[in-house]
Amino acid sequence: MRRARRPPRRLVGSHDEHVPSLAVLQRWNALPSLPICVVDVPGKGLGVVARRALPAGTVVAEYTFRLVKRAQCPPGDYRVQVRGARGYVGKIDARTFGPPSGGVAQVGALLNEPSEGVAPSCVRSAGWLDPPGRARRRGAFNLVTCEAVRAGEELTWDYGRTYGSRSYAHGQ
């Protein structure tokens, strides 16, 4: 008798979102000079932890996104608030993740929100956004530690109010 195959676990919301496998992410981030590494965080899925102790103000990851109208971003998709782009959100796509650039890992979209009652360890920088009128506008920001972080500690940040409803309190 043939066993039914279980469908693969989806890590993303819609068809244009793409998260590389954990093995690929770990290979990209295996450089000893990078302060972080991607791991499987129990109960949360993929996440990012500090490889070594990090002082406050350390750039740990870049979060790259494609600018889309908020109405075109289905509920459950990864999305972030984009300052200065009213009615739009930043959405991950195949170009969100890549090899480290300038010594910074391009895995910002994998940092989780903190657990309930725990303050986030990172904040987002001001970032950049392509000028209006450009097709498939893109943008990015860095995630920076807001406090000292111990080696092995999960790095987290507050996704903000555009991410959708959650069963726990959040700031921003």
Side-chain angles (χ1 to χ4, degrees):
M1 187 176 214
R2 234 163 116 179
R3 275 196 264 170
R5 287 181 50 190
R6 217 173 350 148
R9 180 176 70 140
R10 283 198 54 132
L11 294 173
V12 294
S14 65
H15 70 282
D16 64 341
E17 294 185 356
H18 171 75
V19 178
S21 71
L22 178 58
V24 168
L25 290 164
Q26 288 175 328
R27 188 173 64 240
W28 284 343
N29 297 304
L31 301 173
S33 61
L34 291 177
I36 58 96
C37 59
V38 176
V39 299
D40 194 4
V41 177
K44 291 185 175 182
L46 295 179
V48 178
V49 297
R51 180 174 279 150
R52 58 182 175 270
L54 304 172
T58 303
V59 175
V60 294
E62 179 179 271
Y63 192 121
T64 305
F65 56 86
R66 179 171 48 94
L67 195 66
V68 298
K69 289 184 179 179
R70 179 184 239 163
Q72 294 174 334
C73 191
D77 278 9
Y78 286 86
R79 60 181 167 193
V80 293
Q81 179 178 347
V82 179
R83 295 178 182 111
R86 191 174 180 164
Y88 288 82
V89 293
K91 185 174 181 330
I92 72 167
D93 64 8
R95 291 176 49 198
T96 296
F97 303 95
S101 174
V104 177
Q106 295 182 33
V107 295
L110 296 179
L111 270 75
N112 292 310
E113 285 199 299
S115 300
E116 187 173 1
V118 178
S121 57
C122 297
V123 294
R124 62 189 279 175
S125 67
W128 61 268
L129 186 61
D130 283 337
R134 187 163 174 194
R136 297 185 64 86
R137 291 174 67 190
R138 300 195 66 77
F141 55 85
N142 287 329
L143 291 161
V144 181
T145 57
C146 56
E147 58 187 30
V149 175
R150 296 181 317 273
E153 184 177 335
E154 182 184 14
L155 299 167
T156 60
W157 71 291
D158 186 337
Y159 293 170
R161 67 183 183 277
T162 62
Y163 186 69
S165 62
R166 273 97 76 202
S167 60
Y168 51 88
H170 65 94
Q172 278 188 337

